[in-house]
Each structure stands twice: as C-alpha cells, then as structure tokens.
C-alpha cells in the first residue's frame, strides 16, 4: 500500500554540495574561535531531545539558502497545497544524540527533514528518522494474536541519505534513532528541518 503520510524525494536540491561545502567550511578549523562558531545550541531535554542545532541562516550563505527555500516553497505549492515554510533549522547529531518519540503540533501540517549527511562515508550507526506506522496507531483494529510483533512491524525507519528530502505528517509520533560512533560534526548526521505552513488551494 502506498504511503499517504510519508514522501521521500531523492536528489532534491541541485546545489546540495554547495550547502554541504559551506557547513564543512564552518568547521574547517576547529581551533579558530570565530563568532559564528558560538551560535550552536546544545538542546537537551532529559529523556526526550539531545542534539546540536541553530538557525540555518547562521551557517549557510543567503545565496544558497534562499535558493533552497525557494525550492521548498515551490514543492509545497505543487505537492502539498502549502505556500510557505517556517524559518529552517540545521542540526547535527553526534554520538549520543537522538530524539524520542513526539508529535509536532501545531507547527504546520507537514514536516520536512532535508539531509546533508554523507551517508556513503558513514562513521556512525543510527540516525534514522523513526515514525510509528498507521497500523500501530490503530493497534487493536489490526491486532492478530497468531503472530509476534517486533520493532519493524511497529515503526518505519528512514536513513538520512545525502540530498534527500523527507516530508511527513508531523502528527504521527516520530523521533531520531540514537547515533552511536563519531563525535566529529563533519561526520555527523546533518539535516535542515522545519515545517510547511499556510495550507490552502493553489491555482496556477
């Protein structure tokens, strides 16, 4: 059955490598204490959130970030009936970082997670976006006492592949599988994320 609450779009942004290069430059010299290195928030809420985040405008140039946002807005108009987005965040996940299950209400009708993770050079395990399956949310209607149930029957895990846009209904409980391995930002799970807003019919 085709999913109606998850969209995965590979090769979303033509300038993905340019964005990635700007992030890499941000951390190119770890001993250089420039002002832009002090904009990161280590967001920790016990048993819920553990990640390093900042506003995307603090990391990326206006040229490439505005192009990326324009692509998002056009995608929202074409596929979601939304003509705006919230200001994007950028987060990286190193060893120990995760998000426990939660629902984003009322930020917007659709959430997005855009990956700049160099997954082909993965230095860690975990980091997938985790969503409960609709069958889990309607558990008793789908229950069969003839079979055991394990994690993969209850959840969907989606790896953060480079230049992949993931869009999903944020009312679905979701999180991020704990990252284990690297402590280097340049080898971390790296994503830009936010929400689509202003849903209404769009006519061109």
């Amino acid at each position: 059955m085709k999913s109606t609450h998850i969209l995965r779009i590979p090769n979303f942004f033509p300038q993905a490598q340019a964005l990635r290069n700007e992030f890499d430059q941000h951390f190119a010299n770890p001993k250089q204490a420039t002002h832009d290195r002090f904009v990161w928030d280590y967001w920790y809420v016990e048993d819920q959130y553990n990640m390093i985040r900042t506003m995307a405008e603090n990391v990326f140039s206006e040229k490439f970030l505005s192009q990326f946002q324009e692509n998002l807005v056009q995608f929202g108009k074409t596929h979601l009936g939304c003509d705006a987005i919230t200001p994007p965040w950028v987060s990286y996940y190193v060893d120990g970082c995760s998000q426990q299950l939660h629902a984003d209400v009322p930020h917007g009708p659709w959430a997005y997670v855009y990956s700049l993770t160099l997954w082909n050079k993965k230095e860690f395990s975990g980091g997938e976006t985790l969503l409960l399956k609709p069958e889990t949310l309607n558990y008793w209607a789908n229950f069969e006492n003839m079979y055991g149930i394990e994690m993969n029957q209850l959840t969907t895990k989606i790896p953060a592949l480079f230049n992949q846009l993931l869009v999903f209904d944020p009312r679905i409980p979701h999180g991020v599988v704990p990252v284990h391995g690297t402590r280097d930002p340049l080898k971390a799970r790296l994503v830009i994320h936010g929400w689509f807003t202003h849903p209404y019919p769009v006519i061109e």
Side-chain angles (χ1 to χ4, degrees):
M1 183 174 63
K2 184 177 181 181
S3 171
T4 58
H5 65 284
I6 301 173
L7 298 173
R8 299 174 65 178
I9 301 89
N11 303 315
F12 174 72
F13 184 48
Q15 299 295 332
Q17 190 59 56
L19 284 176
R20 176 70 210 200
N21 291 344
E22 290 189 339
F23 177 83
D24 290 350
Q25 185 61 38
H26 191 77
F27 287 98
N29 186 350
K31 295 184 178 180
Q32 186 176 8
T34 56
H35 72 280
D36 59 339
R37 293 290 300 275
F38 295 90
V39 299
W40 293 94
D41 169 38
Y42 175 53
W43 191 36
Y44 176 77
V45 179
E46 187 173 3
D47 297 326
Q48 190 62 63
Y49 305 109
N50 183 3
M51 55 198 278
I52 299 95
R53 64 180 186 172
T54 189
M55 301 303 297
E57 65 185 16
N58 292 330
V59 178
F60 304 110
S61 66
E62 182 179 355
K63 174 184 176 181
F64 293 121
L65 184 59
S66 63
Q67 290 178 22
F68 173 71
Q69 291 175 290
E70 289 170 7
N71 278 33
L72 278 177
V73 170
Q74 187 56 51
F75 178 87
K77 288 181 179 180
T78 303
H79 299 283
L80 306 174
C82 296
D83 79 331
I85 58 172
T86 59
W89 293 83
V90 58
S91 299
Y92 69 84
Y93 294 67
V94 290
D95 186 60
C97 290
S98 67
Q99 290 193 46
Q100 300 301 318
L101 290 174
H102 64 284
D104 297 323
V105 180
H107 297 297
W110 294 96
Y112 71 85
V113 178
Y114 174 71
S115 175
L116 290 171
T117 308
L118 298 180
W119 203 268
N120 61 331
K121 298 179 180 178
K122 186 171 68 171
E123 299 283 344
F124 60 86
S125 62
E128 299 91 348
T129 299
L130 184 75
L131 298 102
L132 292 186
K133 290 185 175 180
E135 297 86 351
T136 305
L137 297 172
N138 195 21
Y139 182 76
W140 292 114
N142 299 285
F143 180 77
E144 296 183 34
N145 61 6
M146 299 296 293
Y147 305 97
I149 299 174
E150 297 180 341
M151 178 69 83
N152 63 341
Q153 279 91 43
L154 298 172
T155 62
T156 299
K157 290 200 300 185
I158 303 172
L161 303 178
F162 183 76
N163 201 15
Q164 172 186 271
L165 178 68
L166 170 64
V167 179
F168 58 90
D169 185 336
R171 296 173 299 176
I172 302 293
H174 58 278
V176 177
V177 176
V179 167
H180 298 291
T182 187
R183 297 182 181 182
D184 184 348
L186 296 176
K187 299 176 181 178
R189 177 191 192 261
L190 173 63
V191 294
I192 300 174
H193 51 100
W195 296 267
F196 291 93
T197 61
H198 297 176
Y200 68 90
V202 176
I203 299 175
E204 293 184 355

